[in-house]
Amino acid sequence: GSRVKLVEQARRNAGEALERRQAESTSQAKLLRDLAELFGLDDPPERIEIYDNSHIQGAHALGAMVVAGPEGFRKSAYRKFNIKNPDIAPGDDFAMMREVFGRRFARAADEDPDRDKGEWPDLVLVDGGKGQLSAVSSLLADMGIDDVALVGVAKGPHHGREGREVFHL
């Protein structure tokens, strides 16, 4: 009767949901393989960290870190960094990014020096061009961290058009 129909509907819904989830996982895995190929990584990244800075006319400066992986965005791993250094000139994106990276990677080195907890990124995307990339890569080199893949993402020739970004490795 009606209970059998209800169970059959639930079974169909569950089957369709499983098919959608498997298709999404396959698609996500392909995207990560393509990303690894594009940036010359040995393996698809398990943890991708994306960084950006923000301020309001030089005031209320902060940095943000967004994290993604094979299962999608990891919102519980997102972090906000209030810029604390009073010597940073308002709007100095390079200094802000250095502070964020210094704090992030010093903590990672302290809390997970053996890198076995899965908290170290395989790929880091930095919003900005060669300047931001140079600022953070030299800081990481000074910290003895030379095995994290860094990519600077800059707006392309027609600012605001998605898909026309320029990547700096």
Side-chain angles (χ1 to χ4, degrees):
S2 63
R3 290 183 182 158
V4 170
K5 289 180 183 178
L6 184 61
V7 169
E8 288 173 359
Q9 182 65 39
R11 185 177 296 140
R12 264 193 312 273
N13 289 347
E16 290 172 6
L18 179 61
E19 287 175 10
R20 280 192 305 274
R21 180 71 174 151
Q22 288 173 330
E24 289 171 6
S25 293
T26 301
S27 176
Q28 185 78 5
K30 182 184 180 331
L31 287 172
L32 291 174
R33 285 192 307 272
D34 291 347
L35 189 67
E37 184 180 328
L38 177 68
F39 294 135
L41 305 176
D42 292 334
D43 297 303
E46 290 291 317
R47 182 180 174 101
I48 302 169
E49 294 182 358
I50 304 108
Y51 292 85
D52 195 5
N53 290 330
S54 178
H55 57 84
I56 300 170
Q57 296 180 344
H60 309 291
L62 61 88
M65 176 182 80
V66 174
V67 180
E71 68 285 348
F73 287 102
R74 300 178 186 172
K75 293 184 179 182
S76 64
Y78 289 11
R79 295 293 179 264
K80 178 179 75 170
F81 299 86
N82 291 314
I83 304 302
K84 298 176 179 178
N85 186 340
D87 297 331
I88 293 178
D92 184 347
D93 282 345
F94 302 135
M96 289 169 55
M97 198 63 79
R98 281 192 299 271
E99 179 177 333
V100 168
F101 270 68
R103 289 167 50 193
R104 159 64 178 113
F105 285 94
R107 184 172 182 168
D110 183 49
E111 292 179 356
D112 188 15
D114 297 328
R115 301 186 187 193
D116 56 4
K117 296 179 183 174
E119 299 299 317
W120 281 81
D122 302 303
L123 175 63
V124 172
L125 303 176
V126 179
D127 181 50
K130 291 179 183 177
Q132 279 90 344
L133 188 63
S134 177
V136 298
S137 61
S138 65
L139 173 77
L140 291 180
D142 291 345
M143 296 175 75
I145 301 169
D146 59 1
D147 58 345
V148 174
L150 296 171
V151 177
V153 182
K155 292 180 179 76
H158 302 288
H159 291 241
R161 289 193 174 169
E162 292 179 14
R164 304 213 181 212
E165 294 80 10
V166 176
F167 300 108
H168 301 280
L169 305 176

